[in-house]
PDB file of all heavy atoms in Angstrom:
ATOM      1  N   SER A  52     -69.682 -35.426 -69.704  1.00 89.00           N
ATOM      2  CA  SER A  52     -69.752 -34.623 -68.480  1.00 89.00           C
ATOM      3  C   SER A  52     -68.441 -33.902 -68.174  1.00 89.00           C
ATOM      4  O   SER A  52     -68.458 -32.819 -67.579  1.00 89.00           O
ATOM      5  CB  SER A  52     -70.149 -35.504 -67.298  1.00 89.00           C
ATOM      6  OG  SER A  52     -69.202 -36.530 -67.112  1.00 89.00           O
ATOM      7  N   PHE A  60     -58.631 -23.878 -67.074  1.00 96.00           N
ATOM      8  CA  PHE A  60     -57.509 -24.803 -67.268  1.00 96.00           C
ATOM      9  C   PHE A  60     -57.987 -26.252 -67.141  1.00 96.00           C
ATOM     10  O   PHE A  60     -58.696 -26.601 -66.189  1.00 96.00           O
ATOM     11  CB  PHE A  60     -56.404 -24.525 -66.243  1.00 96.00           C
ATOM     12  CG  PHE A  60     -55.885 -23.124 -66.306  1.00 96.00           C
ATOM     13  CD1 PHE A  60     -56.247 -22.190 -65.335  1.00 96.00           C
ATOM     14  CD2 PHE A  60     -55.061 -22.722 -67.340  1.00 96.00           C
ATOM     15  CE1 PHE A  60     -55.792 -20.886 -65.402  1.00 96.00           C
ATOM     16  CE2 PHE A  60     -54.604 -21.419 -67.414  1.00 96.00           C
ATOM     17  CZ  PHE A  60     -54.970 -20.491 -66.443  1.00 96.00           C
ATOM     18  N   PHE A  63     -55.196 -33.225 -68.648  1.00 94.00           N
ATOM     19  CA  PHE A  63     -55.422 -34.649 -68.896  1.00 94.00           C
ATOM     20  C   PHE A  63     -54.198 -35.410 -68.414  1.00 94.00           C
ATOM     21  O   PHE A  63     -53.070 -35.125 -68.840  1.00 94.00           O
ATOM     22  CB  PHE A  63     -55.645 -34.905 -70.387  1.00 94.00           C
ATOM     23  CG  PHE A  63     -56.980 -34.436 -70.886  1.00 94.00           C
ATOM     24  CD1 PHE A  63     -57.169 -33.110 -71.244  1.00 94.00           C
ATOM     25  CD2 PHE A  63     -58.056 -35.315 -70.963  1.00 94.00           C
ATOM     26  CE1 PHE A  63     -58.399 -32.662 -71.688  1.00 94.00           C
ATOM     27  CE2 PHE A  63     -59.297 -34.873 -71.408  1.00 94.00           C
ATOM     28  CZ  PHE A  63     -59.471 -33.546 -71.758  1.00 94.00           C
ATOM     29  N   GLY A 109     -44.055 -27.959 -82.312  1.00 90.00           N
ATOM     30  CA  GLY A 109     -42.807 -27.568 -81.675  1.00 90.00           C
ATOM     31  C   GLY A 109     -42.971 -26.648 -80.485  1.00 90.00           C
ATOM     32  O   GLY A 109     -44.064 -26.519 -79.918  1.00 90.00           O
ATOM     33  N   ALA A 117     -56.095 -26.980 -89.328  1.00 96.00           N
ATOM     34  CA  ALA A 117     -57.397 -27.598 -89.621  1.00 96.00           C
ATOM     35  C   ALA A 117     -58.476 -27.245 -88.602  1.00 96.00           C
ATOM     36  O   ALA A 117     -59.630 -27.639 -88.777  1.00 96.00           O
ATOM     37  CB  ALA A 117     -57.235 -29.118 -89.680  1.00 96.00           C
ATOM     38  N   ASP A 179     -48.680 -16.994 -66.416  1.00 89.00           N
ATOM     39  CA  ASP A 179     -48.255 -15.716 -66.980  1.00 89.00           C
ATOM     40  C   ASP A 179     -49.338 -15.213 -67.936  1.00 89.00           C
ATOM     41  O   ASP A 179     -49.432 -15.650 -69.083  1.00 89.00           O
ATOM     42  CB  ASP A 179     -46.916 -15.906 -67.722  1.00 89.00           C
ATOM     43  CG  ASP A 179     -46.356 -14.576 -68.233  1.00 89.00           C
ATOM     44  OD1 ASP A 179     -47.105 -13.576 -68.232  1.00 89.00           O
ATOM     45  OD2 ASP A 179     -45.184 -14.559 -68.642  1.00 89.00           O
ATOM     46  N   LEU A 243     -53.626 -24.000 -59.751  1.00 87.00           N
ATOM     47  CA  LEU A 243     -53.818 -25.457 -59.763  1.00 87.00           C
ATOM     48  C   LEU A 243     -54.799 -25.897 -58.683  1.00 87.00           C
ATOM     49  O   LEU A 243     -55.568 -26.851 -58.874  1.00 87.00           O
ATOM     50  CB  LEU A 243     -52.471 -26.169 -59.544  1.00 87.00           C
ATOM     51  CG  LEU A 243     -51.526 -26.232 -60.739  1.00 87.00           C
ATOM     52  CD1 LEU A 243     -50.175 -26.787 -60.309  1.00 87.00           C
ATOM     53  CD2 LEU A 243     -52.116 -27.097 -61.847  1.00 87.00           C
ATOM     54  N   GLU A 279     -60.668 -30.787 -58.051  1.00 94.00           N
ATOM     55  CA  GLU A 279     -61.712 -30.835 -59.091  1.00 94.00           C
ATOM     56  C   GLU A 279     -61.302 -31.890 -60.115  1.00 94.00           C
ATOM     57  O   GLU A 279     -60.552 -31.628 -61.051  1.00 94.00           O
ATOM     58  CB  GLU A 279     -61.865 -29.447 -59.722  1.00 94.00           C
ATOM     59  CG  GLU A 279     -62.690 -29.383 -60.987  1.00 94.00           C
ATOM     60  CD  GLU A 279     -64.146 -29.795 -60.813  1.00 94.00           C
ATOM     61  OE1 GLU A 279     -64.595 -29.953 -59.684  1.00 94.00           O
ATOM     62  OE2 GLU A 279     -64.824 -29.990 -61.842  1.00 94.00           O
ATOM     63  N   VAL A 300     -62.097 -60.204 -73.217  1.00 94.00           N
ATOM     64  CA  VAL A 300     -61.626 -58.837 -72.938  1.00 94.00           C
ATOM     65  C   VAL A 300     -62.738 -58.033 -72.275  1.00 94.00           C
ATOM     66  O   VAL A 300     -62.507 -57.306 -71.286  1.00 94.00           O
ATOM     67  CB  VAL A 300     -61.153 -58.157 -74.237  1.00 94.00           C
ATOM     68  CG1 VAL A 300     -60.869 -56.671 -73.998  1.00 94.00           C
ATOM     69  CG2 VAL A 300     -59.909 -58.853 -74.780  1.00 94.00           C
ATOM     70  N   ASN A 341     -67.894 -38.224 -80.291  1.00 85.00           N
ATOM     71  CA  ASN A 341     -69.273 -38.446 -80.721  1.00 85.00           C
ATOM     72  C   ASN A 341     -69.871 -39.559 -79.854  1.00 85.00           C
ATOM     73  O   ASN A 341     -69.432 -40.707 -79.936  1.00 85.00           O
ATOM     74  CB  ASN A 341     -69.299 -38.844 -82.195  1.00 85.00           C
ATOM     75  CG  ASN A 341     -70.707 -39.160 -82.681  1.00 85.00           C
ATOM     76  OD1 ASN A 341     -71.679 -39.013 -81.933  1.00 85.00           O
ATOM     77  ND2 ASN A 341     -70.811 -39.590 -83.935  1.00 85.00           N
ATOM     78  N   LEU A 361     -41.587 -64.504 -77.166  1.00 93.00           N
ATOM     79  CA  LEU A 361     -40.295 -64.069 -76.641  1.00 93.00           C
ATOM     80  C   LEU A 361     -39.267 -65.186 -76.562  1.00 93.00           C
ATOM     81  O   LEU A 361     -38.108 -64.948 -76.196  1.00 93.00           O
ATOM     82  CB  LEU A 361     -40.484 -63.471 -75.240  1.00 93.00           C
ATOM     83  CG  LEU A 361     -41.430 -62.271 -75.116  1.00 93.00           C
ATOM     84  CD1 LEU A 361     -41.561 -61.860 -73.644  1.00 93.00           C
ATOM     85  CD2 LEU A 361     -40.924 -61.102 -75.941  1.00 93.00           C
ATOM     86  N   ILE A 376     -30.125 -55.510 -69.697  1.00 96.00           N
ATOM     87  CA  ILE A 376     -31.237 -55.576 -70.649  1.00 96.00           C
ATOM     88  C   ILE A 376     -32.213 -54.468 -70.275  1.00 96.00           C
ATOM     89  O   ILE A 376     -32.764 -54.472 -69.167  1.00 96.00           O
ATOM     90  CB  ILE A 376     -31.937 -56.948 -70.591  1.00 96.00           C
ATOM     91  CG1 ILE A 376     -30.941 -58.059 -70.924  1.00 96.00           C
ATOM     92  CG2 ILE A 376     -33.124 -56.987 -71.554  1.00 96.00           C
ATOM     93  CD1 ILE A 376     -31.437 -59.441 -70.576  1.00 96.00           C
ATOM     94  N   TYR A 441     -28.665 -39.695 -51.475  1.00 80.00           N
ATOM     95  CA  TYR A 441     -27.732 -38.761 -52.132  1.00 80.00           C
ATOM     96  C   TYR A 441     -27.345 -37.627 -51.180  1.00 80.00           C
ATOM     97  O   TYR A 441     -26.165 -37.270 -51.060  1.00 80.00           O
ATOM     98  CB  TYR A 441     -28.386 -38.203 -53.397  1.00 80.00           C
ATOM     99  CG  TYR A 441     -27.570 -37.155 -54.102  1.00 80.00           C
ATOM    100  CD1 TYR A 441     -26.442 -37.502 -54.833  1.00 80.00           C
ATOM    101  CD2 TYR A 441     -27.930 -35.804 -54.025  1.00 80.00           C
ATOM    102  CE1 TYR A 441     -25.692 -36.526 -55.477  1.00 80.00           C
ATOM    103  CE2 TYR A 441     -27.190 -34.831 -54.663  1.00 80.00           C
ATOM    104  CZ  TYR A 441     -26.071 -35.197 -55.394  1.00 80.00           C
ATOM    105  OH  TYR A 441     -25.330 -34.228 -56.019  1.00 80.00           O
ATOM    106  N   ASP A 443     -27.412 -37.634 -47.925  1.00 86.00           N
ATOM    107  CA  ASP A 443     -26.575 -38.166 -46.838  1.00 86.00           C
ATOM    108  C   ASP A 443     -25.139 -38.357 -47.313  1.00 86.00           C
ATOM    109  O   ASP A 443     -24.182 -38.038 -46.587  1.00 86.00           O
ATOM    110  CB  ASP A 443     -27.142 -39.508 -46.349  1.00 86.00           C
ATOM    111  CG  ASP A 443     -28.470 -39.333 -45.631  1.00 86.00           C
ATOM    112  OD1 ASP A 443     -28.814 -38.190 -45.279  1.00 86.00           O
ATOM    113  OD2 ASP A 443     -29.166 -40.353 -45.438  1.00 86.00           O
ATOM    114  N   SER A 480     -26.892 -45.490 -62.394  1.00 83.00           N
ATOM    115  CA  SER A 480     -25.489 -45.825 -62.663  1.00 83.00           C
ATOM    116  C   SER A 480     -25.068 -47.052 -61.872  1.00 83.00           C
ATOM    117  O   SER A 480     -24.300 -47.897 -62.362  1.00 83.00           O
ATOM    118  CB  SER A 480     -24.591 -44.637 -62.303  1.00 83.00           C
ATOM    119  OG  SER A 480     -24.915 -43.528 -63.081  1.00 83.00           O
ATOM    120  N   ALA A 486     -24.356 -54.911 -63.821  1.00 93.00           N
ATOM    121  CA  ALA A 486     -24.530 -55.799 -64.972  1.00 93.00           C
ATOM    122  C   ALA A 486     -23.233 -56.441 -65.438  1.00 93.00           C
ATOM    123  O   ALA A 486     -23.243 -57.321 -66.301  1.00 93.00           O
ATOM    124  CB  ALA A 486     -25.160 -55.018 -66.132  1.00 93.00           C
ATOM    125  N   TYR A 511     -22.873 -36.600 -67.702  1.00 65.00           N
ATOM    126  CA  TYR A 511     -21.929 -37.129 -66.714  1.00 65.00           C
ATOM    127  C   TYR A 511     -20.657 -37.618 -67.418  1.00 65.00           C
ATOM    128  O   TYR A 511     -19.541 -37.371 -66.951  1.00 65.00           O
ATOM    129  CB  TYR A 511     -22.601 -38.267 -65.950  1.00 65.00           C
ATOM    130  CG  TYR A 511     -21.699 -38.944 -64.944  1.00 65.00           C
ATOM    131  CD1 TYR A 511     -21.449 -38.359 -63.704  1.00 65.00           C
ATOM    132  CD2 TYR A 511     -21.105 -40.175 -65.229  1.00 65.00           C
ATOM    133  CE1 TYR A 511     -20.621 -38.971 -62.787  1.00 65.00           C
ATOM    134  CE2 TYR A 511     -20.283 -40.799 -64.318  1.00 65.00           C
ATOM    135  CZ  TYR A 511     -20.038 -40.195 -63.100  1.00 65.00           C
ATOM    136  OH  TYR A 511     -19.220 -40.815 -62.191  1.00 65.00           O
ATOM    137  N   ARG A 531     -20.717 -48.065 -71.014  1.00 84.00           N
ATOM    138  CA  ARG A 531     -21.279 -49.417 -70.816  1.00 84.00           C
ATOM    139  C   ARG A 531     -22.554 -49.583 -71.645  1.00 84.00           C
ATOM    140  O   ARG A 531     -22.804 -50.649 -72.200  1.00 84.00           O
ATOM    141  CB  ARG A 531     -21.576 -49.648 -69.336  1.00 84.00           C
ATOM    142  CG  ARG A 531     -20.347 -49.592 -68.438  1.00 84.00           C
ATOM    143  CD  ARG A 531     -20.630 -50.193 -67.068  1.00 84.00           C
ATOM    144  NE  ARG A 531     -19.616 -49.836 -66.097  1.00 84.00           N
ATOM    145  CZ  ARG A 531     -18.396 -50.365 -66.042  1.00 84.00           C
ATOM    146  NH1 ARG A 531     -18.039 -51.276 -66.914  1.00 84.00           N
ATOM    147  NH2 ARG A 531     -17.531 -49.977 -65.125  1.00 84.00           N
ATOM    148  N   ILE A 542     -36.754 -52.558 -77.499  1.00 96.00           N
ATOM    149  CA  ILE A 542     -37.783 -51.532 -77.704  1.00 96.00           C
ATOM    150  C   ILE A 542     -39.140 -52.218 -77.795  1.00 96.00           C
ATOM    151  O   ILE A 542     -39.342 -53.094 -78.638  1.00 96.00           O
ATOM    152  CB  ILE A 542     -37.494 -50.709 -78.977  1.00 96.00           C
ATOM    153  CG1 ILE A 542     -36.193 -49.919 -78.803  1.00 96.00           C
ATOM    154  CG2 ILE A 542     -38.647 -49.773 -79.287  1.00 96.00           C
ATOM    155  CD1 ILE A 542     -35.802 -49.092 -80.010  1.00 96.00           C
ATOM    156  N   ALA A 554     -41.297 -45.135 -81.086  1.00 92.00           N
ATOM    157  CA  ALA A 554     -40.207 -46.114 -80.973  1.00 92.00           C
ATOM    158  C   ALA A 554     -39.133 -45.849 -82.026  1.00 92.00           C
ATOM    159  O   ALA A 554     -37.935 -45.973 -81.750  1.00 92.00           O
ATOM    160  CB  ALA A 554     -40.769 -47.525 -81.115  1.00 92.00           C
ATOM    161  N   ILE A 577     -53.497 -57.643 -82.245  1.00 93.00           N
ATOM    162  CA  ILE A 577     -54.799 -58.286 -82.460  1.00 93.00           C
ATOM    163  C   ILE A 577     -54.729 -59.177 -83.698  1.00 93.00           C
ATOM    164  O   ILE A 577     -55.321 -60.255 -83.746  1.00 93.00           O
ATOM    165  CB  ILE A 577     -55.903 -57.222 -82.622  1.00 93.00           C
ATOM    166  CG1 ILE A 577     -55.971 -56.343 -81.363  1.00 93.00           C
ATOM    167  CG2 ILE A 577     -57.257 -57.882 -82.872  1.00 93.00           C
ATOM    168  CD1 ILE A 577     -56.908 -55.158 -81.494  1.00 93.00           C
ATOM    169  N   LEU A 604     -37.367 -51.655 -89.533  1.00 96.00           N
ATOM    170  CA  LEU A 604     -36.504 -50.911 -88.611  1.00 96.00           C
ATOM    171  C   LEU A 604     -35.691 -51.797 -87.683  1.00 96.00           C
ATOM    172  O   LEU A 604     -34.628 -51.403 -87.217  1.00 96.00           O
ATOM    173  CB  LEU A 604     -37.371 -49.974 -87.746  1.00 96.00           C
ATOM    174  CG  LEU A 604     -38.036 -48.798 -88.462  1.00 96.00           C
ATOM    175  CD1 LEU A 604     -39.063 -48.140 -87.535  1.00 96.00           C
ATOM    176  CD2 LEU A 604     -36.987 -47.776 -88.886  1.00 96.00           C
ATOM    177  N   ILE A 628     -43.579 -66.670 -72.062  1.00 91.00           N
ATOM    178  CA  ILE A 628     -42.260 -67.329 -72.013  1.00 91.00           C
ATOM    179  C   ILE A 628     -42.446 -68.817 -71.788  1.00 91.00           C
ATOM    180  O   ILE A 628     -43.503 -69.261 -71.326  1.00 91.00           O
ATOM    181  CB  ILE A 628     -41.390 -66.728 -70.874  1.00 91.00           C
ATOM    182  CG1 ILE A 628     -42.106 -66.897 -69.514  1.00 91.00           C
ATOM    183  CG2 ILE A 628     -41.069 -65.279 -71.158  1.00 91.00           C
ATOM    184  CD1 ILE A 628     -41.295 -66.416 -68.325  1.00 91.00           C
TER     185      ILE A 628
END
Side-chain angles (χ1 to χ4, degrees):
S52 60
F60 302 105
F63 287 83
D179 185 347
L243 283 172
E279 168 62 11
V300 171
N341 177 4
L361 301 177
I376 300 166
Y441 176 74
D443 291 346
S480 299
Y511 177 79
R531 298 196 195 285
I542 295 179
I577 301 173
L604 291 169
I628 59 176

